[in-house]
Amino acid sequence: FVVSNRGKILHELVIGTADELARHAELMRRHPQMEHDEPNMTHVKPGAAGALLWTFDKAGDFAFACLVAGHYEAGMRGRIIVQ
């Protein structure tokens, strides 16, 4: 995945299940300064691009989202369907 940030604030792309991302978004909402760096995510500074190399080892319905505080709630999320 190549992620471009054309905005003026930090964004990120995190891959997981819908439930995992919803729980993590709530945690980030309560602790907005919490730092995290996992293999299933990339942080992208304003005006920059980032890359995430991820191998799906099974078929299924996965999700992605930006978990910067408030972004998930604003709709920055989507689905990945692996067949």
Side-chain angles (χ1 to χ4, degrees):
F1 298 88
V2 176
V3 184
S4 296
N5 182 351
R6 296 184 184 137
K8 296 183 180 186
I9 59 175
L10 178 74
H11 288 285
E12 64 184 14
L13 175 88
V14 184
I15 298 173
T17 67
D19 288 343
E20 290 168 343
L21 294 177
R23 283 192 304 272
H24 197 153
E26 174 59 23
L27 186 62
M28 292 299 294
R29 189 187 64 73
R30 287 186 279 137
H31 305 283
Q33 300 304 320
M34 184 178 83
E35 292 187 23
H36 53 285
D37 187 23
E38 304 294 331
N40 63 325
M41 69 174 46
T42 185
H43 298 89
V44 188
K45 294 180 181 177
L52 173 62
L53 178 62
W54 188 258
T55 302
F56 293 92
D57 59 0
K58 62 183 176 182
D61 196 350
F62 300 91
F64 66 90
C66 179
L67 299 180
V68 172
H71 292 197
Y72 179 86
E73 295 81 1
M76 291 186 174
R77 55 187 164 196
R79 291 175 60 199
I80 302 167
I81 301 169
V82 178
Q83 297 183 345

